[in-house]
Amino acid sequence: VAGETGRKKTGSPYGAFVSMRSRDLSLNDVLARLRSLDLKPVFTAHPTEAAPVASLHARQRLTEHLAALDHAAETQASTSEIEAALHDDVTALWRASTVRLAKPSVSDEIATAMAYYESSLFEAVPRLYRELAKGLSQAYETKIEPRDLPTVVRFGSWIGGDGDGNPNVTAETLREAVHGARSLITRHYTTHLNALADGADYRTRARLRRLVDSLTARSITIKDLRAEIEAFRPLGINSEALDDLLRLVDTFGLHLHSVDIRQHARLHADAVNELASTAGPSPVSTRVLDVLKMAKMLKATHDPHVISTYVISGATSVTDIWNVLTLARACGIEPAGNADDPGLMPVPLFES
């Protein structure tokens, strides 16, 4: 393909788009295929891997130091300064306690997952689309901006909602996971908006301040947030910074990620049977029902997409799906949803 710069790298965006073009796929064909993608990496609950957040940050710094050493010659950076910083962080990590003396709590797991957004994902997401746009531009010899590409990746989490085999997952941990995610993404948007105010005129800074206030007061919808950010484009705000922020908004919304609920089919069957009995639900069934009641409340007070999936462990028949639908309706959730609410989709796991 004409315009190729350097050797095509297998697995890179550029290499993938060159391969598509060689198969006579037009640019519009590629964009249509990108629009059809819906990729959702999901954080799953692994308590034994819930490292202290300080250790995660230290490891991230080590990664950055090593990358800096690799490119020291290109950037004319001081190798000795990088090595000294690397030595200091390795020493600090060695002296720090990286082994938990107590079993991590669900709150610890939630905090660990959140740390990955701040340490890498918030930065990586806009960079992904810049790489895609660059590769597509080179492969098809035309200018494609990152903003021209559809959003193909969003995130999910089981942490705080995965109660299968973990009685510590409750309605309260589900609330904590959702509220914590909303707080994190709000803080990140606020940081971005405050950075945009640097160098802006008084009127623009005041407008940005009002937008920050609306975010922190939770009085703005995702549609209005996006429109407000887009409206800054003709006011002299850095266009690339606006594009990056809009990509974050399209990816993370006002809820950061969706939180999936997970529970075993056996507990659903017990809860359905106990609801129909005169004795009422047992403590275990009450916990299952309380999680669903909390889900209803959270969907009403946050973006309804924040909870839209219910994973059923140990599913063996359609009855296991029906039981979840029955319990959801009993707790006030309409699984079918509507134009504004995706509802609650049962997802059976047929496990051996």
Side-chain angles (χ1 to χ4, degrees):
V1 177
E4 177 173 347
T5 57
R7 188 173 52 137
K8 179 178 72 175
K9 292 184 178 180
T10 302
S12 69
Y14 173 65
F17 293 137
V18 166
S19 179
M20 290 180 181
R21 188 174 182 183
S22 71
R23 290 170 171 78
D24 296 325
L25 287 174
S26 69
L27 177 60
N28 285 336
D29 291 333
V30 174
L31 291 173
R33 294 194 178 198
L34 287 174
R35 283 190 290 270
S36 72
L37 291 178
D38 183 14
L39 307 177
K40 187 178 178 181
V42 175
F43 287 93
T44 55
H46 291 289
T48 58
E49 296 177 14
V53 173
S55 296
L56 295 177
H57 290 164
R59 294 173 193 172
Q60 178 66 24
R61 290 195 300 272
L62 294 180
T63 301
E64 293 168 357
H65 294 327
L66 291 172
L69 279 175
D70 287 341
H71 298 92
E74 302 171 16
T75 61
Q76 296 183 335
S78 169
T79 301
S80 60
E81 290 181 4
I82 298 172
E83 289 177 341
L86 183 63
H87 177 273
D88 289 344
D89 280 328
V90 168
T91 302
L93 188 60
W94 175 68
R95 289 176 176 173
S97 174
T98 59
V99 178
R100 294 186 182 272
L101 300 180
K103 180 180 179 181
S105 66
V106 178
S107 296
D108 292 329
E109 296 178 60
I110 293 171
T112 297
M114 297 295 182
Y116 285 108
Y117 285 100
E118 295 183 284
S119 66
S120 60
L121 291 176
F122 286 148
E123 179 185 351
V125 165
R127 189 169 70 241
L128 166 66
Y129 291 92
R130 288 195 291 271
E131 291 283 337
L132 290 173
K134 179 181 178 182
L136 196 55
S137 297
Q138 291 177 344
Y140 281 86
E141 302 170 75
T142 187
K143 183 60 176 175
I144 300 292
E145 297 290 346
R147 74 173 76 100
D148 300 326
L149 300 177
T151 298
V152 299
V153 179
R154 293 177 177 86
F155 294 84
S157 176
W158 283 11
I159 304 172
D162 182 4
D164 182 20
N166 188 353
N168 295 318
V169 171
T170 63
E172 178 57 28
T173 63
L174 181 63
R175 185 204 64 80
E176 181 183 350
V178 170
H179 283 197
R182 172 66 187 250
S183 295
L184 176 59
I185 194 59
T186 297
R187 289 197 305 272
H188 192 70
Y189 291 158
T190 297
T191 299
H192 258 268
L193 292 169
N194 287 333
L196 293 178
D198 292 342
D201 60 40
Y202 173 78
R203 290 180 181 273
T204 301
R205 290 200 306 272
R207 190 170 173 178
L208 285 164
R209 182 67 256 173
R210 289 194 297 271
L211 183 53
V212 168
D213 291 342
S214 296
L215 264 174
T216 54
R218 301 188 178 184
S219 59
I220 191 169
T221 66
I222 188 66
K223 180 180 178 181
D224 290 340
L225 173 61
R226 200 184 195 290
E228 284 286 338
I229 295 171
E230 190 66 58
F232 287 107
R233 199 175 293 280
L235 302 181
I237 298 292
N238 181 276
S239 182
E240 184 174 307
L242 286 176
D243 287 343
D244 286 352
L245 181 54
L246 286 168
R247 183 63 68 184
L248 293 175
V249 169
D250 288 343
T251 302
F252 300 110
L254 291 172
H255 58 288
L256 184 68
H257 54 216
S258 59
V259 179
D260 298 344
I261 302 172
R262 183 187 183 203
Q263 191 51 269
H264 199 280
R266 182 183 64 258
L267 272 64
H268 302 143
D270 291 343
V272 169
N273 292 332
E274 290 168 12
L275 279 178
S277 72
T278 56
S282 66
V284 173
S285 294
T286 297
R287 178 163 57 88
V288 172
L289 295 168
D290 285 348
V291 167
L292 281 165
K293 292 174 184 176
M294 178 61 72
K296 172 181 167 57
M297 187 273 286
L298 293 170
K299 286 168 71 68
T301 55
H302 293 69
D303 186 325
H305 292 81
V306 70
I307 299 173
S308 60
T309 301
Y310 197 117
V311 181
I312 310 167
S313 299
T316 58
S317 71
V318 70
T319 301
D320 295 321
I321 299 173
W322 183 254
N323 285 339
V324 169
L325 298 176
T326 299
L327 294 174
R329 293 190 178 103
C331 294
I333 298 175
E334 177 45 57
N338 53 49
D340 300 316
D341 183 349
L344 192 66
M345 172 67 77
V347 177
L349 292 182
F350 297 101
E351 302 164 296
S352 59

